[in-house]
Amino acid sequence: MSVKLPIYMDNHATTPVDPRVLEAMLPFFNERFGNAASRNHPFGWSAEEAVENARAQVARLIGATPKEIIFTSGATESNNLAIKGVAEMYREKGNHIITQVTEHKAVLDTCKRLEKGGCEVTYLRVGKDGRIILDDLRRAITPKTILITIMYANNEIGVVQPIAEIGKLAREKGVFFHSDAVQAAGKIPVDVNRDSVDLLSLSAHKFYGPKGVAALYVRRKNPRVQLAAIIDGGGHERGMRSGTLNVPGIVGLGKACEVAQADMAEESKRLSGLRERLKEGLFAKLDEIFINGSVDHRLPHNLNVSFAYVEGESLLMGINDVAVSSGSACTSATLEPSYVLKALGVGEDLAHTSIRFGLGRFNNEEEVDYVVDKVVQTVQRLRELSPLYEMAKEGVDLSKMQWQVAAGGEH
Ligand SMILES: *Cc1c(COP(=O)(O)O)cnc(C)c1O
């Protein structure tokens, strides 16, 4: 067997640039290098033409029109622009924003910043499956609510939110709806009209495009959304985002959208097949393992599993030729369990031993089989050393044990 190591299975963090995307970008570094804002010579026209072509490619992927697409430096910026832009523009109308607890930090920290400036933010809880509860949302809307911001799909657990239902509710109540669709765009069908989404963020590097370039969809009619800019300058992007356009990056983003749209049906089928192979491989040989988040409402390429009776860091060390993410986030000095898993009610121990597998376009069956073997061997080896696992297997109810010293975990 010839699997090339290390294996990359962390495609929610970023993805490699697809060769077709790279090829489309290359001429724009040195041949067609013009500034898309240069109006009076062919260098500028050529760059502008490429930018407008990319704008149409992005629009097509999400069912929008090209004029509704604003280019930015990343989805972090798109999220900031959407949320802060609405908050400032519609201050007279209200100051209340609704979001939910498992959003990406680019949304949560933006909301926190606005709270300091006098906005009120409701953070909806999620159920054990990772989805918001629509009745909670309905109850949270007040006459002061100007924006609902709920992600399309989660970056850790791959859980897809009930976007069309949220959009319908937002529309009924006359509240704008923004969705961070970074993990969904290019992977599953996203349509801003079907879903009644008014603002939507996506980022090239999460679907085989380059890093540092992204888009924000801003609805132009029924209803028209206006945004206050957060970057001032030359008035590019219809005044919403000043700054010379990153032409090669934008061309790459557009091409990545075109490729994703053309291949989506086939690719998601192939990746969900690989995901099932991974899942079944693990479940066939290991007990006491748990899937985090809804199985039914989930991205096809995501699997997030907790392994009981092992130690998180030892597990990761044991599979160090496989690039994955864990449910522990290193903050300054301490190892914090993931706030997303915590919100689902996953205990600290199981959060620390969770692994996020993010399959991608360039993974294959041999790699999946290698990863299954490696994880199974590592978990089995670690459990052989675990008195807790042995006791659990002997039928001792660990929850009724009286510990003499703290046994780690929830204090
Ligand atoms: C990666 C990611 C972002 C940030 O996107 P950048 O383009 O890297 O700034 C925002 N939201 C989600 C859900 C993400 O996965």
Side-chain angles (χ1 to χ4, degrees), residues 74-76 79 104 151 155 180 182-183 203 205-206:
T76 299
N79 287 342
H104 191 274
M151 70 197 326
N155 44 296
D180 173 347
V182 171
Q183 294 291 338
S203 181
H205 78 99
K206 300 293 176 81

Side-chain angles (χ1 to χ4, degrees), residues 15-26:
T15 55
V17 171
D18 187 292
R20 292 166 284 183
V21 171
L22 180 61
E23 195 190 312
M25 291 172 68
L26 286 176

Side-chain angles (χ1 to χ4, degrees), residues 97-330:
I97 293 172
I98 302 172
T99 186
Q100 58 93 25
V101 290
T102 68
E103 290 293 311
H104 191 274
K105 289 287 182 189
V107 167
L108 292 176
D109 289 354
T110 301
C111 288
K112 295 247 166 65
R113 167 88 56 194
L114 288 174
E115 277 181 296
K116 287 196 189 122
C119 278
E120 279 179 43
V121 181
T122 300
Y123 299 87
L124 300 175
R125 69 193 164 119
V126 293
K128 213 175 146 32
D129 62 356
R131 302 179 101 209
I132 65 154
I133 295 134
L134 285 165
D135 275 336
D136 288 355
L137 174 60
R138 192 172 289 114
R139 276 193 291 269
I141 298 170
T142 76
K144 289 248 175 259
T145 309
I146 48 172
L147 181 70
I148 296 167
T149 174
I150 307 274
M151 70 197 326
Y152 215 107
N154 185 269
N155 44 296
E156 287 187 35
I157 51 179
V159 167
V160 180
Q161 294 287 355
I163 294 299
E165 288 90 335
I166 297 168
K168 188 160 169 269
L169 188 56
R171 195 59 57 82
E172 272 168 30
K173 302 280 186 180
V175 176
F176 292 139
F177 177 29
H178 166 250
S179 187
D180 173 347
V182 171
Q183 294 291 338
K187 312 291 174 53
I188 57 175
V190 168
D191 185 310
V192 291
N193 292 318
R194 179 198 63 197
D195 298 336
S196 311
V197 173
D198 302 313
L199 298 130
L200 181 140
S201 308
L202 54 82
S203 181
H205 78 99
K206 300 293 176 81
F207 59 104
Y208 314 100
K211 293 168 185 58
V213 60
L216 176 67
Y217 158 78
V218 186
R219 183 174 287 282
R220 270 170 67 89
K221 57 174 198 244
N222 308 320
R224 179 182 180 83
V225 182
Q226 287 177 285
L227 291 181
I230 57 178
I231 296 179
D232 296 309
H236 308 73
E237 299 297 272
R238 302 192 0 266
M240 281 188 260
R241 204 283 188 172
S242 289
T244 299
L245 294 180
N246 169 6
V247 179
I250 288 167
V251 167
L253 168 60
K255 185 69 183 178
C257 288
E258 183 193 287
V259 171
Q261 191 167 22
D263 294 358
M264 189 180 295
E266 209 181 287
E267 183 160 287
S268 78
K269 206 166 123 213
R270 191 181 77 84
L271 292 183
S272 66
L274 288 183
R275 194 263 310 276
E276 290 310 297
R277 190 179 180 94
L278 176 61
K279 184 170 98 189
E280 280 159 21
L282 296 174
F283 275 81
K285 300 203 187 88
L286 295 172
D287 57 4
E288 304 286 340
I289 68 176
F290 308 95
I291 295 181
N292 297 311
S294 170
V295 173
D296 300 328
H297 303 283
R298 198 179 194 100
L299 296 171
H301 55 293
N302 172 283
L303 186 66
N304 188 309
V305 185
S306 289
F307 300 84
Y309 307 112
V310 298
E311 208 256 313
E313 270 180 279
S314 311
L315 176 57
L316 280 186
M317 296 265 274
I319 58 166
N320 64 2
D321 50 8
V322 183
V324 289
S325 280
S326 85
S328 301
C330 291

